[in-house]
Each structure stands twice: as C-alpha cells, then as structure tokens.
Amino acid sequence: MSRKITVAAAQVGAIDLTTPKKAVVARLLKLLHEAAGKKVKIVVFPECTLTTFFPRHLIPSQEELDKYFEHGEDITQSPDVKPLFDEAKALGIDIVLGYAERTPDGTGYNTCVYYSASEGKVLSKYRKIHLPGTSEPFEDPKAVNQLEKRYFTPGNLGFEAFRASGMVQDAVKKETVKEGESTIGKGDPIMGMLICNDRRWPEAWRVYSLQGAELIVFGFNTGGNMAHLWGSKPMSPEEAKTEALFHSRLVQQANSYMNACFSISSARCGLDDGKFDLIGGSAIVSPEGHVLAEAKTEDDELVVADIDLAAVRQGKEKTFDYGRHRRIETYGLIDKQTGVVEPDLL
Amino acid sequence: MSRKITVAAAQVGAIDLTTPKKAVVARLLKLLHEAAGKKVKIVVFPECTLTTFFPRHLIPSQEELDKYFEHGEDITQSPDVKPLFDEAKALGIDIVLGYAERTPDGTGYNTCVYYSASEGKVLSKYRKIHLPGTSEPFEDPKAVNQLEKRYFTPGNLGFEAFRASGMVQDAVKKETVKEGESTIGKGDPIMGMLICNDRRWPEAWRVYSLQGAELIVFGFNTGGNMAHLWGSKPMSPEEAKTEALFHSRLVQQANSYMNACFSISSARCGLDDGKFDLIGGSAIVSPEGHVLAEAKTEDDELVVADIDLAAVRQGKEKTFDYGRHRRIETYGLIDKQTGVVEPDLL
C-alpha cells in the first residue's frame, strides 16, 4: 500500500533583534500560501522561528529577554502568531513551529509544536533536550556566545512519538470517520520532533524509531562562518561554514538511514543583525539516507518533496528489524552513565 | 600534546571456498611487510579474514563447516595463523584480525582480536553482537543467503574498550617501563572493536565512546552487486553496489563524528568463488567525519594514514562533551525495549 504525501521545509532567512514578530509571521504566511499552491500537507518551520537567534546575545534585562519568548500554555492563542495557525487550518496544512516558550511558572524552553489542521489543535509539543552552548558568556569579546544553557531548561517531555493526522487515506476516512471523532487513523504517519542540536545525538532518533517513527522533523539555527572562532582547529570563515553544513547534512542522512525514517530539516539562516551568519541547508531526506530536496538559498525558501511513507518498510523489516537484531543486554551504559569513564591504566 | 601514529587498513580481495588458509595468511604477511615499510603501528585486517565469506553457503556437514572456523581459545597458536602473529611481534606492529571462532564447548562466534606486538599477546577479544541475515536459507534458489544467524551466536563479551600499547610516547616509556611491566600507559589510544553490521548500530559506537574510545576499528564483508536480489526496491546490480558503498561510508563517517573518534574499516572484497561480489571501500576516517584515506581497488591493498589522536579532544570537549550535554533520563527505551512499539491509535 502506498502512502504518499507532499511535505515541505519552510526555511526562514535573516531576522534582526528589532524585527517585529508580526513581520516574521507575515513571511511565514507567504511560505504557507506557496505550500498550499503545491498541495503540501505538512510544513516544517525552523527552531525559534519568530525572532533572531537571541542566545547569541547576553540580555541582562528579564523584561527585554521576555520579548523573545511566547508566554502561556497555548501558542495558537498568542496574538502575533494566531493568524498563522488560523490560516493553516483554513488551508488544511499541518505545521510544525519552533519558538521560545515561557511557561506560567517562568521556566524557559526551546519548544516546537505540531499543529493539526484537520483536528484544529496542537497534537504534540516537544521541548529541546540537548541544549548546546554555555550558561555564562565567554570572556573573550571576539567569541560568539551560544547561551541556550542560560535561557532554556532541558526539555521535560521526553521523545514522544505521535500519529499525525489527515494526510493519508482521506477517501477512506471520509467514509468511516463520524462527526466529532478523531480523523487520525492507521496509515497516518508516526512522527517524531527534534530541535537543532538534538539531531547530532543518535539516542534521540533511536527513542523515536523504537516507537515506529516514520517521519522525524526538526528546525535548526546553526552557526555558519563564525564557527572558526570557537573551534580549536584553525579554519577560514568559508571552511568553517562548509564544515558546519557538512556535519548538519551528515547526521541527518545517517540517522534517517539508521532509523529507517524520512526526515525534514528546516533552517533559520542568513545574516542576522547584519553579522551573525547561520547556515541554510534545509533538506528532506529518505529512509535510505538520500537527499530528496534541499534549499538552494540562504533566505526564505520552501523546499518540497513528494514522499511515500511505505518506503520506510524495507529498512524497518530488513537491515533495521529491531526485534530480530537489537541486543539490548549490551546497551546498558547508554542510559546509566552520562559522561565518559575511561578504562583503568594497567 | 600531539599523539601521532601511522595506522592502516589491510583490505583483502577475493578468496574462494577452496583457498587454503595458508595461502591467505601468505597474502596477509605481504600486506604486513608493506605496512612495516611505511612505519605503520596498527594494521586492521577484515572480518572473517581467513576464508571466503562462508555464510553465503548452506553447509550441512558439521565437519565441512568446521574447516572455516579456528578452534580453541588462543588464535595466536592456531597453526596456519601463528606465523602472522609471530611476524607482527617481530616487526613491532599491532594487528586486528577477524576470524570465525569455535570455542571448546562448540559455540561459534564471529570474532576479532587485538594483538599487541610489544606485549606479545592478545590484549582484547570482541565477538560480533549484531548478526545480520537469517537462520534458515531462503527458499528462492536465486536469493543469496546470509546465514550468520545460523552459524554464529551473538557475542557475549559486550563492547569493552581497552588501551592499546606501545604506539605513543615510546621514548618516555623506554625510560619508565621496568622489565616485566606493561608497556601500556597514558597517551596510548583507547580502542574499541566492531565487526561489519555492528557499524550500522549507533548503540555500539556509543557504548565505546562512553568509555572514551579514540579509535574504533572494524572489518566487514558487505554484499555488492547482488544486494538488488534481496531488496524490495528495484535496482540494477551497479546501483545496488553504489548504494551498499554509500551506506557503508555514511555510517562510518557519521558515527566517527558523533562519537568524536577516529575509525578504521577494512573490507574483504572482490568476487568470491567467481560470483559473490563484496564491496571494497576500506577507509580511515577522522573524528570530524572526513575520509582521510580510502581503498582504490577491490583487491589486496594497504590503506595508510597518519593520525594524531589529540584531534579527538575538540569533539569530546565541545559539541560531544557527554558530561555536560547528555540527558540519560530520556534514553531509557534504548536498553529496555528491543523491538518497535507504535503509539496507540486514538
């Protein structure tokens, strides 16, 4: 049985510290309309889509910092962002949106939600677990900060796979779904969400694929030509950017293959505030690890691919048939030991 | 502190069912001598180096099957193979050798050993944990069998990292090591061994890197242009071979990067028995996931690279500083659930 859907990454270019969220949402709406024209059913927006990547900046004022966050439990009711969800519902397109979340108790998370158009609500929320960077700014004034560990708490929702809605077997469903019932059924994709740095951690992908994930999606903000400033290996800015893109692509391709799933990555990119460079490279990757579509620019761009979810079966039933091949009695260290313990010297 | 050593993969070309082990060992000795001429300190030979890749064949006779195994606890005393270990000791080269092992109680393992020239003994033994294939032959007479699950038992030695010997800081050691003491010291590489299919399982790499592994080595026998016979996706023989090589390279590069270690892979390759094609592609890969050296042939070939183990520190201390970034409270499924459990339908 083929299970074909059209999916997209909506890559978003430069945003400055002073860019109003409404102006960003207007750009997202434009990408959403383009997606509608191409019959896309799921659009993945980047990590922290609504503002510049503010962890670059040390922001001492809580009031100032809070401007970069969305407040409250329900992002779909956030005044600046509500038009995006309303339009997604009207167009029948599911969206994944990343944003900085401030909970009512004041905790900050790097969050994304999966919004279902057919259900008219958020189906799943994910809070970033692998926060990179540091809590304290670097002393070197030339160094570019990455203060995610300062502004965010590690996610407390785990890696919960979920069934998305309404994309597959619409004809079958229309006959069988009664008024008020969920539109989600067998045949709809099993999804997992990651955010940026999570993609470099094979544990995250594996926990999802142990729940049968067929499509894993993530947004990212990844430093481009300034990476040479914090690496210990001497590199030119151009080399650093090429290297960052190589690593981003490498882990998406390999983890899609090793977990026999499709993946969609969506970049915030371009030159924020006229100086902070972020790589592009938004991509849609097959369960065999091949790039099906990728961004050609470092600006707002919709990257589209037709995928058939049935293609995950070969990997899941052969090379990566976990039930037959995994040997969990040998994996104990992975969740019992956080850091490295080297063998004793003889 | 730089910690430079020269390492090699000794790729081994076609071997037939009737090729005597002595003839294979003569070829291994030739590669070992070439390594000595290039001042190589560690040579990695392939998986099941000594014979054709016999899991292709259904061999009903136990006596016939046993000819493809080495018997007893100590491979270094196996008459056909002893000359290789003796010569390695004489030349001062450590070797990794893969072979089919039959233990005194009759169990079969797909095994490799790390032999230390300076210690004159096996430092570590590894038995393959992720056995691919099936226990029973395929009914389709055109299908190419992969009977590892029939001939071997999953390895019972776990993934035990170990310190290799004598390659680094020789000058320092000569002054400080007393007669009869181990030559192994701080500064020598922390190693892990895998075999073939293990390389596709990120759990295996991770258990080693949680022990600080700096250099992970593996041999492999991977089907080339016949892979199209068992895949569900239609492919030409040439496409199937290109795909097999792509996946082999992809997982070595990505897992080296995500575990911040060097890796050496060594292929049995060529056309066994005039018809069973195996890919080459032996490679030495950096902790940044770059290919430093790779095989150019599908025959006996020594692939050499100079590496500096100090280069693993950047990854281990920044992006992949496990102590700061890993969140083991979210990884529980990995060693608690073998197969896939999909989310409930709503």
Side-chain angles (χ1 to χ4, degrees), chain A residues 111-112 125-129 158-159 193-195 198 208:
Chain A
T111 296
C112 65
K125 180 185 275 188
Y126 171 73
R127 289 168 172 159
K128 185 174 183 178
I129 285 173
F159 302 105
M193 297 191 288
L194 300 172
I195 298 178
D198 288 319
Y208 278 131

Side-chain angles (χ1 to χ4, degrees), chain B residues 50-343:
Chain B
L50 303 168
T51 67
T52 193
F53 190 58
F54 63 91
R56 292 270 173 267
H57 303 272
L58 179 65
I59 302 169
S61 150
Q62 186 69 29
E63 191 188 342
E64 171 67 17
L65 182 63
D66 271 349
K67 291 181 189 166
Y68 300 96
F69 283 76
E70 300 304 302
H71 297 258
E73 291 290 355
D74 187 358
I75 176 79
T76 69
Q77 299 308 312
S78 216
D80 291 336
V81 197
K82 188 172 185 299
L84 181 67
F85 292 101
D86 291 346
E87 193 67 6
K89 184 173 180 176
L91 294 170
I93 299 175
D94 288 11
I95 62 174
V96 176
L97 183 72
Y99 61 100
E101 175 188 23
R102 179 78 69 205
T103 64
D105 73 0
T107 309
Y109 293 108
N110 189 336
T111 297
C112 66
V113 290
Y114 187 98
Y115 176 82
S116 161
S118 60
E119 299 279 305
K121 67 178 184 188
V122 167
L123 282 187
S124 186
K125 179 185 275 189
Y126 171 73
R127 290 168 172 159
K128 185 174 183 177
I129 284 172
H130 297 97
L131 297 172
T134 58
S135 300
E136 295 304 320
F138 294 122
E139 288 181 17
D140 179 355
K142 273 193 313 178
V144 178
N145 285 310
Q146 218 304 14
L147 293 168
E148 284 192 60
K149 281 198 195 302
R150 183 184 192 90
Y151 296 143
F152 301 121
T153 296
N156 61 349
L157 302 176
F159 302 106
E160 287 280 342
F162 60 97
R163 290 177 189 270
S165 55
M167 273 85 52
V168 175
Q169 297 177 290
D170 274 347
V172 177
K173 280 191 196 144
K174 272 170 199 153
E175 290 169 25
T176 56
V177 174
K178 294 187 191 114
E179 181 73 24
E181 281 187 355
S182 168
T183 61
I184 300 167
K186 212 170 167 87
D188 283 327
I190 301 174
M191 310 265 313
M193 297 191 288
L194 301 172
I195 298 179
C196 192
N197 185 42
D198 289 319
R199 73 196 190 279
R200 301 182 205 272
W201 296 86
E203 294 91 339
W205 294 76
R206 190 58 112 219
V207 173
Y208 278 131
S209 66
L210 280 164
Q211 300 166 76
E214 300 171 313
L215 175 56
I216 290 180
V217 301
F218 57 95
F220 62 90
N221 283 265
T222 296
N225 68 17
M226 297 165 312
H228 68 292
L229 294 176
W230 58 81
S232 57
K233 197 173 160 184
M235 280 190 187
S236 71
E238 295 70 26
E239 285 170 336
K241 185 162 188 167
T242 300
E243 184 80 343
L245 197 57
F246 166 70
H247 286 151
S248 183
R249 186 58 49 82
L250 179 64
V251 298
Q252 183 177 358
Q253 290 184 266
N255 285 314
S256 297
Y257 168 63
M258 293 190 293
N259 294 281
C261 63
F262 286 95
S263 63
I264 305 172
S265 67
S266 181
R268 271 285 345 281
C269 58
L271 214 57
D272 279 13
D273 303 307
K275 60 179 174 177
F276 295 112
D277 184 60
L278 295 166
I279 61 168
S282 304
I284 300 171
V285 170
S286 78
E288 290 86 29
H290 294 293
V291 176
L292 302 174
E294 62 187 321
K296 292 173 183 63
T297 72
E298 292 183 6
D299 208 335
D300 294 8
E301 180 181 350
L302 195 75
V303 178
V304 181
D306 297 316
I307 66 175
D308 183 350
L309 293 165
V312 305
R313 300 317 311 169
Q314 174 163 332
K316 289 187 191 298
E317 290 167 10
K318 296 189 178 182
T319 306
F320 300 107
D321 180 344
Y322 294 171
R324 287 201 304 131
H325 300 312
R326 293 183 81 244
R327 304 299 309 182
I328 59 174
E329 70 278 16
T330 66
Y331 307 154
L333 275 192
I334 291 170
D335 71 343
K336 286 174 195 65
Q337 179 181 307
T338 301
V340 170
V341 179
E342 296 184 350

Side-chain angles (χ1 to χ4, degrees), chain A residues 52-127:
Chain A
T52 194
F53 190 57
F54 63 91
R56 293 270 173 270
H57 303 271
L58 179 64
I59 303 169
S61 150
Q62 186 69 27
E63 191 187 342
E64 171 68 16
L65 182 63
D66 271 349
K67 293 182 189 166
Y68 300 96
F69 283 76
E70 300 304 301
H71 298 258
E73 291 290 354
D74 188 358
I75 175 79
T76 70
Q77 300 307 313
S78 218
D80 292 335
V81 198
K82 188 171 185 299
L84 181 68
F85 293 102
D86 291 346
E87 193 67 7
K89 184 173 180 176
L91 295 169
I93 299 175
D94 288 12
I95 63 174
V96 176
L97 182 73
Y99 60 101
E101 176 188 23
R102 179 79 68 207
T103 64
D105 73 2
T107 309
Y109 293 107
N110 189 337
T111 296
C112 65
V113 291
Y114 186 98
Y115 176 83
S116 162
S118 60
E119 300 279 305
K121 66 178 184 188
V122 167
L123 283 187
S124 187
K125 180 185 275 188
Y126 171 73
R127 289 168 172 159

